[in-house]
Amino acid sequence: MFRNYNFKKYDIFLILIVIALVSFGIIAIGSATQGSTYVRNKQLFGFIVTFVLMIIISLIDYHFIGKFYWLIYAFNIILLVAVLFLGVKVKGAVRWINIAGIQLQPSELSKIMMVIFLAKYIDKNKEKINNLLFLIKLGILVIIPTLLIYKQPDLSTSLVLLVILVVLLFVAGISYKYVLIALAIAVPLFFGTVWYMQQPDTVFSDHQVERVMSFLYPEKYDTMQTDNSIQAIGSGQLNGKGWYKGTINKYNYLPEPQTDFIFSVIGEEAGFIGCSIVLLLLLLLIIKCLWIAKDSIDLFGMLIISGFVAIISFQTFVNVGVTTGLIPNTGIPLPFISYGLSSLMSNMIGIGVILNISLHRKTTYY
């Protein structure tokens, strides 16, 4: 479990990037909530607790964690099922459960748990990576939590699990034959789904249909949220209006500014420079993680890092894409920046595991 590590390999730079991102996020959250010390301090306290958790996990051999991959998967399913029966309804969605007085969002933790499970499962069966029966089994194992999350409803987070699966299969060396087959199925399915959403009596919820339709036909649907978001970012210009001085945010023209639209707040109040700093830090985080993956001693470690990078990259693309009007409106947090302790905990656990992988890598970095 614990080993005598060469701490010259401990990646301090990765930790500094995380601290910078979360610090920037806490400032933005305080501004997004118009100076609410409760929300800001709650995120700060959550960071302190999860930072300690990250350090502890970084000292636990990731191979030891991998031994419990089936237990991790089962725990993930239990939490997601518990949401359906014991969940707390907030704004029309049942995504949270209360455990010992703490409100937890299992779908956020599900991301990192599925990364660890899939990484180990694929690593143990790497010789079967191009076996159709194995791929079907793998698909079923992913579809179960995906459907449970979608049922909450939480379409965006359920898509994250599918992205993780695709990335891990690619890194593990799946044959391009299956890639082409998947594309041949996925592309028509995508356009077919968009067409189906426009038909009466669709199985998709009204708000999901409206979000897609407002993106496709903005002249026919209410696009006020997206328009306000774009206006907020544009009004910040180069340097921004200054923290706590954003008028669009101040007068509540942005929905959930501390979570889904935190990037809009940064754009208005910190300007192009602030947005660039956030995206640069996230890019550095991704590059640093991939650099560690390059020197990983085994496929298991490489897959864990690849899955975590997939989460960070996809969520960043979606969050920024929504706030800038590039993709349909959907709620997904900006990693390490948006308010949310479950999301922060999931990300910090991921960093902790990656730090442990860095302690095993082939090359020492100072």
Side-chain angles (χ1 to χ4, degrees), residues 72-355:
I72 292 172
Y73 181 80
F75 182 64
N76 178 34
I77 299 301
I78 290 171
L79 282 178
L80 293 176
V81 171
V83 173
L84 300 180
F85 296 97
L86 306 173
V88 178
K89 191 172 185 178
V90 179
K91 297 183 179 179
V94 183
R95 301 174 186 173
W96 294 266
I97 56 175
N98 285 319
I99 300 177
I102 299 175
Q103 197 169 76
L104 191 69
Q105 188 175 353
S107 60
E108 287 295 332
L109 296 177
S110 180
K111 300 171 189 176
I112 191 63
M113 286 192 284
M114 285 302 294
V115 165
I116 295 172
F117 169 76
L118 289 174
K120 186 61 179 181
Y121 189 70
I122 293 174
D123 179 54
K124 285 182 69 69
N125 298 276
K126 52 191 172 187
E127 71 284 352
K128 301 178 183 178
I129 193 65
N130 290 307
N131 181 288
L132 183 59
L133 181 59
F134 170 73
L135 293 176
I136 293 174
K137 290 179 180 178
L138 195 60
I140 293 173
L141 289 169
V142 174
I143 285 298
I144 293 172
T146 299
L147 291 177
L148 288 172
I149 293 173
Y150 176 77
K151 186 70 175 177
Q152 296 178 3
D154 192 350
L155 176 60
S156 54
T157 303
S158 63
L159 290 176
V160 175
L161 300 191
L162 298 180
V163 170
I164 292 170
L165 174 62
V166 170
V167 170
L168 294 192
L169 286 174
F170 177 79
V171 173
I174 191 172
S175 171
Y176 284 102
K177 174 182 69 175
Y178 290 111
V179 175
L180 294 175
I181 292 174
L183 287 174
I185 296 173
V187 173
L189 183 63
F190 171 77
F191 288 104
T193 301
V194 173
W195 173 84
Y196 174 70
M197 293 182 77
Q198 302 178 57
Q199 308 308 308
D201 301 322
T202 174
V203 298
F204 293 96
S205 63
D206 292 340
H207 81 277
Q208 290 173 340
V209 173
E210 185 176 347
R211 285 178 175 181
V212 174
M213 293 303 102
S214 63
F215 178 77
L216 295 175
Y217 309 106
E219 69 281 358
K220 297 181 180 179
Y221 290 84
D222 180 17
T223 59
M224 183 179 65
Q225 292 183 355
T226 303
D227 293 341
N228 289 342
S229 173
I230 295 173
Q231 183 181 347
I233 294 173
S235 66
Q237 299 186 40
L238 181 64
N239 298 312
K241 300 174 181 177
W243 295 117
Y244 302 97
K245 296 179 181 179
T247 54
I248 296 176
N249 170 50
K250 181 179 179 180
Y251 294 110
N252 298 318
Y253 292 139
L254 291 173
E256 303 298 332
Q258 74 276 18
T259 55
D260 301 342
F261 284 86
I262 192 73
F263 193 74
S264 305
V265 174
I266 294 172
E268 182 181 17
E269 302 186 1
F272 176 79
I273 293 177
C275 290
S276 298
I277 290 173
V278 169
L279 294 178
L280 178 61
L281 286 171
L282 286 166
L283 178 61
L284 287 174
L285 178 78
I286 290 169
I287 292 174
K288 191 60 179 172
C289 289
L290 291 176
W291 198 266
I292 296 172
K294 176 182 69 71
D295 292 317
S296 174
I297 61 174
D298 54 21
L299 179 63
F300 180 40
M302 186 181 297
L303 289 175
I304 288 178
I305 297 177
S306 299
F308 182 76
V309 166
I311 295 173
I312 301 301
S313 302
F314 181 75
Q315 290 194 184
T316 299
F317 172 77
V318 172
N319 184 280
V320 175
V322 167
T323 57
T324 54
L326 294 176
I327 60 177
N329 193 349
T330 183
I332 202 164
L334 186 62
F336 299 101
I337 301 291
S338 293
Y339 172 74
L341 300 188
S342 296
S343 175
L344 182 61
M345 181 187 296
S346 177
N347 291 333
M348 296 300 279
I349 290 173
I351 292 295
V353 177
I354 292 174
L355 285 170

